[in-house]
Amino acid sequence: MKTTYNVFVISDSSGQTGTAIAKTAAAQFPEAYANITQYPFIRTKSILTGILRLAKEKQAIIFHTLVNSELSDMVTQYADENHLFSFDCIQKPIEIISKRLNESSAAVPGLVHDLNAAYFKRIDAIEFTVANDDGRHPENLAKADIVILGVSRTSKTPLSLYLANESYKVANVPIGPNLQLPQEVWDLNPKKVFGLTNSIGKLQEIRIQRMKEYGIENDTRYSNADNIKKELDYAQHLYQKIGCLCINVADKSIEETASIITESLPHVTGPQQ
């Protein structure tokens, strides 16, 4: 069975250059499978931050072609700090040509490739998803193609970004016994709402690891098994009340969960045009 590894191509244009380089390099390792995901037209720090977090979650190798040196440096720094492998495909060539000509580059993204509707739709979906992450702007829930609910650390944000890259506008909302659920949730078509759950043991393991990263002791209410059970019981009851599909992500990859969601959407529903 082939080893599978993730590769993210992040670009402020179409991403074709970075993808070509990544595919050329990956072809030299025929016994492994490179799962290459493109993130084109990335031109803001907020969107880039969300993608980098997802890269960390999936331990992805990052190839980036960001003409904006500030964004490029942001990728490199994040990769170094989080022990990710990354390769800057454009800044070094720009630097070499700049030195040879003794002049500065135009630093304008997208001069090589024409924009098309598919790319615009995808970037629009990514921008919407980042803006409506973690319960922000509940007034926009009705505009989403997909709404994801879940207690803390059920992979709501990485899943949302994965779906956004497929051109779905996604909003995710954190839930819990002590959190106020936005009233707007009750006005949604339950068929576009998806509730995430997990096993007590798996969720406890994830939360303990998360706290270790912040230098916090393990024995807290956040990672307590009894408290996690109460949260998951609350979530299960809420999903039943809403009438939405509940997905246990304990043994599922983000790709598998995303596939379940897209296949469960009403036939008339798809990425917004």
Side-chain angles (χ1 to χ4, degrees):
M1 186 174 178
K2 286 188 174 183
T3 299
T4 298
Y5 60 100
N6 295 303
V7 176
F8 280 18
V9 177
I10 305 174
S11 176
D12 46 25
S13 185
S14 70
Q16 293 179 15
T17 301
T19 300
I21 293 172
K23 286 182 176 180
T24 301
Q28 298 301 313
F29 302 88
E31 298 305 314
Y33 172 70
N35 182 31
I36 299 175
T37 305
Q38 283 182 295
Y39 292 95
F41 303 114
I42 306 304
R43 299 180 183 179
T44 66
K45 290 183 179 180
S46 59
I47 296 177
L48 181 57
T49 297
I51 295 168
L52 291 175
R53 287 175 181 167
L54 181 56
K56 180 182 178 182
E57 191 97 13
K58 301 183 75 171
Q59 287 296 292
I61 298 170
I62 302 172
F63 286 79
H64 56 107
T65 55
L66 296 163
V67 172
N68 183 310
S69 59
E70 189 175 0
L71 295 183
S72 178
D73 290 344
M74 183 175 164
V75 174
T76 300
Q77 182 178 346
Y78 187 92
D80 289 344
E81 291 174 352
N82 292 278
H83 310 293
L84 299 174
F85 294 103
S86 71
F87 180 69
D88 186 338
C89 307
I90 194 66
Q91 287 297 325
K92 192 62 177 179
I94 288 176
E95 180 185 339
I96 291 172
I97 295 174
S98 175
K99 287 181 178 178
R100 172 64 180 81
L101 299 178
N102 195 29
E103 63 180 74
S104 300
S105 70
V108 178
L111 291 181
V112 176
H113 302 289
D114 292 330
L115 308 184
N116 60 47
Y119 283 124
F120 275 124
K121 184 169 67 174
R122 187 189 300 178
I123 198 64
D124 190 38
I126 293 173
E127 287 179 339
F128 178 91
T129 300
V130 171
N132 294 278
D133 181 48
D134 202 32
R136 287 181 290 176
H137 306 298
E139 68 275 10
N140 289 334
L141 289 176
K143 301 175 184 177
D145 296 312
I146 298 167
V147 175
I148 296 172
L149 308 179
V151 302
S152 176
R153 309 313 299 171
T154 45
S155 297
K156 296 185 297 298
T157 296
L159 175 61
S160 296
L161 284 170
Y162 181 90
L163 288 164
N165 197 51
E166 298 295 320
S167 299
Y168 289 94
K169 292 182 177 180
V170 186
N172 73 73
V173 180
I175 62 170
N178 301 315
L179 295 177
Q180 181 67 43
L181 186 72
Q183 178 60 39
E184 288 85 351
V185 171
W186 301 106
D187 299 325
L188 300 172
N189 178 352
K191 292 188 179 297
K192 78 170 187 179
V193 181
F194 298 87
L196 306 183
T197 189
N198 207 327
S199 68
I200 297 173
K202 183 69 173 178
L203 193 52
Q204 183 180 38
E205 178 184 333
I206 293 171
R207 289 186 178 185
I208 287 175
Q209 181 58 41
R210 184 65 169 175
M211 290 189 301
K212 283 182 179 178
E213 293 175 4
Y214 286 103
I216 302 173
E217 293 296 327
N218 295 346
D219 187 19
T220 67
R221 180 177 176 79
Y222 183 65
S223 62
N224 178 270
D226 290 337
N227 187 61
I228 290 175
K229 183 179 185 303
K230 289 178 183 177
E231 291 185 44
L232 293 176
D233 287 346
Y234 167 84
Q236 190 70 41
H237 177 73
L238 177 64
Y239 302 155
Q240 291 174 353
K241 195 172 180 180
I242 292 173
C244 66
L245 180 64
C246 174
I247 304 173
N248 191 326
V249 301
D251 298 310
K252 292 181 178 65
S253 66
I254 288 175
E255 292 85 354
E256 288 173 316
T257 305
S259 180
I260 292 172
I261 289 175
T262 55
E263 290 174 7
S264 301
L265 288 171
H267 180 66
V268 295
T269 302
Q272 293 186 4
Q273 301 299 320

